[in-house]
Structure formats: structure tokens, C-alpha cells
Amino acid sequence: SADWEASHRWFVGARAGYFTSNRTTANVVEEPLFVFGQPNIGLLDVPVPLQQVVGFQTDVSNDVSNVDRLSRVNAQIDATLFGRLAGQHTLKSALQLDRRSNDVNKGGSANRVLLQWNRQPVGGQRGTYGFYRVFSNPVAPKRGEIFLGSVSDTTIGLFVQDAWTVSDRLTIKLGLRAENETVPFYSSVGPSGNVPPIHFSMLDKLAPRAGAAWDVTGDGRWKVHGSWGVFYDIFKLAMPQLAFGGLQSGSYFFKLETYDWPHLLDSPGCPPACPGGQAREPTQINASFENIDPGLDPMRTQELTVGVEHQLTARLALTARFVHKQIDKAVEDIGSVDANGNGIYVIGNPGYGHATEACDGVPYPRAVRDYDAVELVARRLLERNWALPASYVWSRLHGNFSGLSQSDENGRTEPNIGIAFDAA
């Protein structure tokens, strides 16, 4: 960071930072992972050593992270002007730049095989012993589902704000922030080539803010203050990794004509040419711009704060504050199910645009996450070697959307890809 006092009225500042992190794994067994979706105990002539209960796996996981590097560069240059016009003004404006990049190659080190003993796939045929599903991908068929790609994007923000001291007792703050944002696409495969699928202009992300503080009695013992603002979230990369070309995934369904499951994938051409023959049509996940609501808006929240402070004595101060926060629009992958049981997803704002109807005409609600709180604080300032702060907060959080971290999904932390609005 650097600061420059250009004159007694002008102050210029600049700051920049860089952050990077990388996640890799080691000592992963790079072999197919067999999972028992159904048991085969006592089934036909399956030898006892090859019989297992439902949920059995040959290993905990065969996922590997070769590279998952996230880098971020942020910079800001701002200017502050002090002046007088119907009071005293502190006018500040800034240009902000945020560039992030992600290089990823992680996922299954080998295929994952789901064994469905004595079962028939939906819309397909079974073999003598049932069927099995091989998870793969179109880039490296001998691996399972993988995340692959390298992306970068730059967000530019502008803001201007004014702290207007109208008098010795009243200060008003007004501000406006705007930013443009392009959500990166991990793959050039798509109907529009390597064109980013989502872009928000500065007009799409205009964020006004306002606040005021009033000295009620003029002696500094009573203060009433309040603020209100609109805030926009920046797209996290978890959804682009999954939905915009990062995820390479597909699965094949084969008839299970042998009990010798440990050797199902021994053939060099498997997958896709695996023993038993095809049980039903394979599935493949393709990133497509068609799955993005053309009327998608950025994730937007509002916050309102009102408070009062009172200096009761020279050493005791009391504060009461009310806070309200709400989500106006969320961004999620909204899921429904087709006739074959396949999930169909639309990236949109729940309850708006293409994200207003689920399966069979059932309407999707808007995302609601309202937070209200009242905070009471008493502070006894330091005197005779002791001080004491005490506070009590009453709060209520309600709605149908737990937020970016999906706290109601057992600690899941992939933003914007929760299951709250999935019908599957």
C-alpha cells in the first residue's frame, strides 16, 4: 500500500495484494473403485469370496487432485477530496481491479463402478446378475468424473461516496458502487465457442448505499444512526467448475453377465467396450449455454441498520441496534427430472424467469433468507484497573435458502450448487 498527500485538500492512496493456494493429494491408489449398490449374498452361483453387503467399497476413494490452484490479484487506487459546500464534505472515489484464475485437474484417478446386483436399469435391460454402471468422461475414459481446465477473469469496480457534515450534529453519507463481471467458461466446447456464458455490466450491478448519524442533544451524549445498502456477490468458481465446462463426466450401463466383478474393467477398451453389452443408453454431462436463463441477474442482498447510543455516565455507555438483512435474488442450479429419471438443470434465479416451475407444474418459490436481530450493549470503560463490556443479541433467521454454504446440507460448501431448489 502507498499513500500520498497531494495537498491539504487532496489525498491519494493505492494498495494491491496477491494470494494463491493449491491443493494436491498424494498416495492415492489409482485403481478402479467398485461400489456395491445392492448386495449379492446368496445370489445364484456367486462364490462366497465375491459376495458383499450393500455399501461395500474396495477403497475409501480413488479421487486425486493433481492441481487445483486458485490465484487472485486485487488492486485499488483511490482519491479523497476535502471541501466545503453547505457544510463539510469528504468526497472519495476509487477504481478497483480483481483478477482471479483457476487451474484444475482433479477427480477420479480411475473409473468408479456401481454394481447393481439383481436389478434392472430404468429404461434398459438387465443381465443374468443385474447391471453395472461405469463412471467415466469423454477426455480420459479410463478415469472417472474429473474437473479439468484453466480459466481467468477480471472484475472492475468503481465507487464514489460522500461524507457530508451538514452541521456539528448531523452527518450524512451517500455512495454508489458499480462493477462489471464475466463468469469464465472452462471449455471452448459449446454453441458459441469460447465466449463467456455470463456477463454482468456495471448497470446490472449498481449498488447504492446511504447512512446518517445525528447528535440528538448536541452534547455528544445521545447519537442516533442508521444505514442502508445494496450488495452484489461475485460468482464463485464452484459453479463454473461444475456447469461451465470444468466437469467432464459420463456413465455407461452394462449388463452384468458374470459374477467375476473384480475383472470387469480388465479389457483395454473398457470403457466404452465393457463385458456384457450395453444395458441402456449412456449419459454424458455437457456444459451448454442453453442451460443458463437469459434473464439471469446477479446475486443481490440488502441490509438495513438502525441504532441509538447513549453516554449514561462518564464511564458507562449504552447501545441498542436493529439489523435486517435479506436476499433479493439468489443464483442456483435449479433441477427437475425428465421421464427417464435424468436431472435437468437451469442456472437462474429461483422464482424468476425460467426458474419459476419445477416438475409437473409445481412452482418454484423465490429464495428467501431474512435475518433480523436486536443487539443491546453496555460498556463500562476502564477505571481503577477494570472494564466490563456486556451484550445480548436476539436474532431470527428464516426462509427457504440457507445461503452460499448450504449449512443444512451437512456442511457442504460449494456455493450456488446446493440442492434446495433441485427436484431430483
Side-chain angles (χ1 to χ4, degrees):
S1 63
D3 297 307
W4 175 42
E5 187 177 352
S7 70
H8 70 282
R9 296 179 56 198
W10 279 99
F11 188 83
V12 180
R15 48 201 46 85
Y18 173 75
F19 170 84
T20 185
S21 65
N22 187 25
R23 180 179 181 272
T24 61
T25 53
N27 301 322
V28 176
V29 178
E30 299 185 8
E31 295 179 355
L33 177 67
F34 292 90
V35 180
F36 275 54
Q38 296 293 331
N40 65 350
I41 298 175
L43 177 64
L44 299 178
D45 57 342
V46 179
V48 174
L50 297 180
Q51 295 182 17
Q52 295 292 346
V53 297
V54 61
F56 169 79
Q57 295 186 183
T58 53
D59 207 333
V60 176
S61 173
N62 66 349
D63 284 346
V64 63
S65 179
N66 297 315
V67 59
D68 189 5
R69 181 180 295 106
L70 178 66
S71 300
R72 191 165 187 171
V73 177
N74 57 78
Q76 172 177 314
I77 182 168
D78 54 70
T80 304
L81 172 65
F82 302 94
R84 300 190 62 87
L85 179 64
Q88 183 175 336
H89 293 265
T90 303
L91 185 64
K92 184 175 182 178
S93 62
L95 169 67
Q96 299 172 320
L97 181 144
D98 190 347
R99 181 171 179 82
R100 58 181 177 170
S101 60
N102 181 220
D103 183 15
V104 61
N105 182 352
K106 65 180 181 179
S109 61
N111 300 112
R112 181 165 66 93
V113 181
L114 180 63
L115 297 159
Q116 299 285 20
W117 298 94
N118 203 26
R119 290 294 186 270
Q120 177 176 322
V122 177
Q125 298 177 336
R126 58 167 287 172
T128 303
Y129 297 91
F131 76 97
Y132 64 103
R133 184 178 182 180
V134 180
F135 291 86
S136 179
N137 68 84
V139 178
K142 280 292 187 179
R143 295 182 62 181
E145 295 181 337
I146 61 173
F147 292 88
L148 187 66
S150 181
V151 298
S152 62
D153 70 284
T154 302
T155 299
I156 297 176
L158 299 170
F159 77 81
V160 59
Q161 64 185 36
D162 183 23
W164 176 23
T165 303
V166 182
S167 65
D168 293 339
R169 297 172 57 185
L170 177 63
T171 298
I172 299 174
K173 292 184 178 181
L174 300 174
L176 180 64
R177 189 181 189 279
E179 68 180 15
N180 73 336
E181 180 185 9
T182 299
V183 181
F185 194 52
Y186 277 75
S187 173
S188 61
V189 179
S192 301
N194 199 25
V195 178
I198 296 177
H199 176 73
F200 299 122
S201 68
M202 288 194 176
L203 293 179
D204 294 325
K205 302 183 76 172
L206 285 175
R209 290 94 187 264
W214 178 40
D215 184 348
V216 180
T217 58
D219 58 3
R221 298 177 62 87
W222 283 93
K223 183 177 77 170
V224 177
H225 58 88
S227 63
W228 167 83
V230 174
F231 304 89
Y232 290 96
D233 185 46
I234 295 177
F235 246 89
K236 310 302 184 289
L237 292 179
M239 178 181 283
Q241 270 195 5
L242 180 70
F244 302 155
L247 175 61
Q248 300 292 327
S249 174
S251 59
Y252 301 91
F253 299 82
F254 301 101
K255 300 174 186 177
L256 190 53
E257 300 288 6
T258 177
Y259 56 70
D260 189 16
W261 56 267
H263 300 286
L264 285 173
L265 305 187
D266 286 357
S267 172
C270 173
C274 296
Q278 185 170 291
R280 55 159 281 188
E281 290 294 323
T283 64
Q284 182 170 323
I285 297 177
N286 292 318
S288 171
F289 299 107
E290 298 174 0
N291 295 333
I292 302 172
D293 190 337
L296 177 70
D297 289 325
M299 188 168 178
R300 185 182 68 202
T301 63
Q302 290 191 57
E303 179 176 332
L304 172 68
T305 301
V306 179
V308 58
E309 299 180 15
H310 176 48
Q311 189 74 34
L312 187 62
T313 68
R315 289 288 181 265
L316 182 61
L318 304 176
T319 300
R321 188 169 69 116
F322 169 75
V323 178
H324 172 77
K325 299 180 182 182
Q326 69 182 48
I327 282 185
D328 296 331
K329 288 186 177 181
V331 175
E332 274 288 323
D333 59 336
I334 298 98
S336 58
V337 182
D338 64 14
N340 295 323
N342 295 316
I344 302 174
Y345 295 89
V346 173
I347 309 302
N349 307 115
Y352 296 88
H354 291 183
T356 57
E357 184 176 301
C359 302
D360 302 323
V362 178
Y364 269 123
R366 297 179 181 180
V368 177
R369 189 177 191 272
D370 291 342
Y371 173 80
D372 296 292
V374 174
E375 180 181 14
L376 304 176
V377 181
R379 293 186 179 89
R380 198 269 188 189
L381 303 181
L382 181 65
E383 184 183 32
R384 296 181 180 177
N385 300 324
W386 71 279
L388 178 66
S391 66
Y392 176 80
V393 177
W394 171 89
S395 65
R396 177 174 181 255
L397 177 65
H398 58 100
N400 57 15
F401 180 63
S402 61
L404 292 177
S405 65
Q406 289 92 43
S407 57
D408 55 351
E409 294 183 34
N410 196 27
R412 185 176 178 179
T413 57
E414 294 89 348
N416 308 114
I417 52 177
I419 62 174
F421 297 93
D422 294 351

